[in-house]
Amino acid sequence: MNVGRWLGYGLGGGLVVAGIAGLVVNARQTDPLGWALWFGGLIAAHDGVLVPLVLLAGVAVGRLRKPSPVRAALTVAAVLSLVALPMVAGIGRRADNPSILPLDYGRNLLVVLGLIALVTALTMLALRLRGSRRRG
């Protein structure tokens, strides 16, 4: 077996144990039950929602011809969503300074994702029409 891999497992496991021990030892400040519920919810959301959606999208897109505008649109939408996530979550927003993150970033992200979907649909329609003209 790879020694580096086992060393990484050992170091990672030690850090996990140290983190859990810190939660338990400092229970009054850390709220271990709340943390466990948050972490459990995160695992459930990842395994129950995110992974199935990614797998379904992969199967659907895999059936499309290559290169596909849908693949490009999904890539752009994913990167855009990842970049926008901190603003949508309001990370850094302060009540004493309303000029920090003043917009409705969740709504704006949905508008831009909708525009990406519209442009993709129009591109797919144009490609289909162009293909049918060539055949006919």
Side-chain angles (χ1 to χ4, degrees):
M1 283 282 176
N2 187 340
V3 175
R5 180 183 302 175
W6 286 105
L7 181 62
Y9 290 156
L11 289 173
L15 289 172
V16 169
V17 169
I20 292 172
L23 282 171
V24 173
V25 169
N26 300 308
R28 289 185 185 194
Q29 292 87 14
T30 60
D31 184 25
L33 179 60
W35 186 90
L37 290 172
W38 178 85
F39 189 71
L42 182 67
I43 291 172
H46 179 272
D47 292 352
V49 178
L50 182 63
V51 170
L53 286 175
V54 169
L55 291 174
L56 286 172
V59 168
V61 171
R63 296 181 187 275
L64 299 172
R65 65 184 177 89
K66 299 168 187 163
S68 169
V70 175
R71 287 182 182 207
L74 286 174
T75 302
V76 169
V79 171
L80 177 68
S81 298
L82 184 63
V83 169
L85 187 61
M87 289 166 279
V88 171
I91 296 172
R93 182 174 284 137
R94 292 181 16 197
D96 64 338
N97 188 348
S99 67
I100 298 175
L101 300 176
L103 304 176
D104 185 351
Y105 295 98
R107 182 202 62 212
N108 294 347
L109 176 62
L110 290 176
V111 168
V112 173
L113 292 176
L115 288 172
I116 291 170
L118 178 63
V119 168
T120 303
L122 292 174
T123 302
M124 293 295 290
L125 180 63
L127 289 173
R128 181 167 288 200
L129 289 174
R130 189 174 76 184
S132 66
R133 285 185 193 155
R134 285 185 182 172
R135 283 182 248 140

